[in-house]
Amino acid sequence: MIDIKLLRADPDKYVQAAEVKNIPVDIPALLEVDGQLLEAQRRLQELRTEQNRTGKQIARLDGVEKQDAIEEMSRIKAQVRHFSEEISRLKPKFDELMLLVSQPPDEGVPVGHSDADNVEIRRVGQVPRLDFEPLDHVQLGKALDIIDIERGVKLAGARNYVLKGGGALLHQALLRLAVDAMLEKGYTFLTVPMLVRDGVMYGTGWFPVGRDQAYLVERDQLSLAGTAEVPVTALHADEILEEAELPKRYVALSTCFRREAGAAGKDTYGLYRIHYFDKVEQVVVCPNDKQQSMAFHQEILANAEDVMKALELPYRVVNCCTGDLGQGPVEKFDIETWMPSRNSYGETHSASRLYDFQARRLNLRYRDAEGKIRFCHTLNNTVIASPRVLISLLELNQNADGSVTIPKALRPYMGGVEKIEPPRK
RNA sequence: GGAGAGGUGGCCGAGUGGAUGAAGGCGACGGUUUGCUAAACCGUUGUACGGGGUCAAACCUGUACCCCGGGUUCGAAUCCCGGCCUCUCCGCCA
């Protein structure tokens, strides 16, 4: 949610934001409704003042005077009703439009239409050159008997999979390594509900834009969150925190559920785009201060990069363009990891900075040093998401004999095992 | 799933159809006292939106909010209806 006062002051800015982010919203209509709503609210308040004053008189009056006052009240009441109805007609329209307004991107964000227009910031690590014909992760998974896509599809349809044996262990090792890395940095580890109320989905900006990405458990009026960012960011919704307790640094591990609506036919091969996966996610809630927000953005990006370096995976960092930003974020850095089978870097992490966009929707506030109540800033980033990162890990670490070498950092989590070997026949 | 109880301010807890944004207590904050700490005493202590005021605050003022929505009434935290939520006991269960 954006601040309506800012929109009133500079509507063009929000028209442009909608345009460059490609998230349509009728700003003139919003202003129109806003004006009518303000007027109705003003009139209603005046009437209520009158109503209260007259009501207090009635208690003290007698006889004819009392009767007159009571008649006066019924006139006021009719008008109160009129403006109340006006407001309950306008408010839903206002809310509906407000939920669609995009937050303008920060300065320096490249303008573009899709992830193809993202701007590379840096590359880290070397892409190894293999002197044999490499397999892709699906072939490797089958040969090593650690990934079973067919049976995943049998159980749950396309974009599902089963990890088995060393594959499942590797997956868990990655997650545990990521959690430990964050614990070392002082983040608080959370376990959170992934089946959440609508308010939490709206509050974090996953509804209404993107609602079709979520699995809805309609009978219970709950939705499966697509990331732990959702419940974790909403953790302190409707609270007023003390500035001294900020920042809140959280890390959570969860399964993530995504319908991938609109992606039909896209990335259908392998473990890239799937309906469920596990992710370690970091969330920061900090004071309403641009400098601090920016510093934390760098911090959570570095946290993820540290894990990537520990895993010895070659990656690059890109500055996401306006079209790839989404409704809330003002700036987003993705980490893309080299994926040989795709012959490209593939998105594995996404670090978003949102100012108070989510905090306003969530009513997430704090009391600053002067006692003023302000909306927090929120940020989030992946630490590791698996099995997508397994694509890189398996394909990059494969050997000529068909085995896959486990990165040193992961071995303690794999009982010291150095390689995943093909099963003996 | 069955039976019952209940939802009031940061917390506990009172509450009558009008003077209650709401007693009292706790906590927190400010002050006095004190060698320091503690205690004691005094004071302050909700949020949102609007109007006035200010360079900006302070401050003044209006409205709404005692789970949510509707109703009765001149007037509702207080009465009625619907919903949501929480707790207790029993059953089932990872």
Side-chain angles (χ1 to χ4, degrees), chain A residues 20-21 105-121 318-325 330-333:
Chain A
V20 295
K21 284 192 167 185
D106 246 8
E107 66 277 8
V109 171
V111 175
H113 295 291
S114 73
D115 57 357
D117 302 315
N118 294 345
V119 174
E120 184 175 294
I121 295 175
V318 301
N319 189 358
C320 293
C321 74
T322 55
D324 196 28
L325 217 45
V330 296
E331 186 178 49
K332 191 167 86 171
F333 299 121

Side-chain angles (χ1 to χ4, degrees), chain A residues 292-302 330-333 350-353 379-381:
Chain A
Q292 286 198 55
S293 238
M294 291 183 69
F296 284 118
H297 202 191
Q298 290 303 316
E299 175 178 310
I300 59 176
L301 179 60
V330 296
E331 186 178 49
K332 191 167 86 171
F333 299 121
S350 201
S352 298
R353 181 159 62 84
L379 306 100
N380 62 77
N381 188 17

Side-chain angles (χ1 to χ4, degrees), chain A residues 195-196 198 211 215-224:
Chain A
L195 204 48
V196 297
D198 278 359
R211 189 163 185 270
Y215 289 101
L216 306 181
V217 184
E218 291 174 287
R219 185 168 70 173
D220 298 289
Q221 292 175 308
L222 296 168
S223 304
L224 276 168

Side-chain angles (χ1 to χ4, degrees), chain A residues 35 62 64 90 102-103 127 164 170 188 215-216 263 277-278 288 297 307 319 336 340 352 394 397 412:
Chain A
D62 289 303
V64 182
L90 292 167
S102 288
Q103 179 161 228
V127 175
K164 183 179 177 187
L170 193 57
T188 303
Y215 289 101
L216 306 181
F277 56 95
D278 289 309
N288 193 306
H297 202 191
V307 171
N319 189 358
E336 300 180 344
S352 298
L394 294 173
N397 291 306

Side-chain angles (χ1 to χ4, degrees), chain A residues 55-69:
Chain A
K56 279 176 189 169
Q57 282 170 3
I58 288 171
R60 291 195 307 265
L61 296 174
D62 289 303
V64 182
E65 286 183 317
K66 185 163 188 165
Q67 283 314 308
D68 287 351

Side-chain angles (χ1 to χ4, degrees), chain A residues 40 44 47 76-87:
Chain A
L44 182 64
L47 287 165
I76 297 170
K77 235 171 91 171
Q79 280 189 282
V80 164
R81 183 176 291 273
H82 172 262
F83 285 106
S84 299
E85 281 168 0
E86 185 78 351
I87 287 167

Side-chain angles (χ1 to χ4, degrees), chain A residues 115 118 120 122 124 272 308 313-318 320 324 334-339 344-349 392:
Chain A
D115 57 357
N118 294 345
E120 184 175 294
R122 60 177 167 271
V124 178
Y272 190 78
M308 295 302 279
L313 292 170
Y315 66 90
R316 64 173 189 166
V317 179
V318 301
C320 293
D324 196 28
D334 281 0
I335 294 177
E336 300 180 344
T337 311
W338 182 255
M339 297 181 178
S344 69
Y345 288 96
E347 178 186 335
T348 50
H349 301 63
S392 300

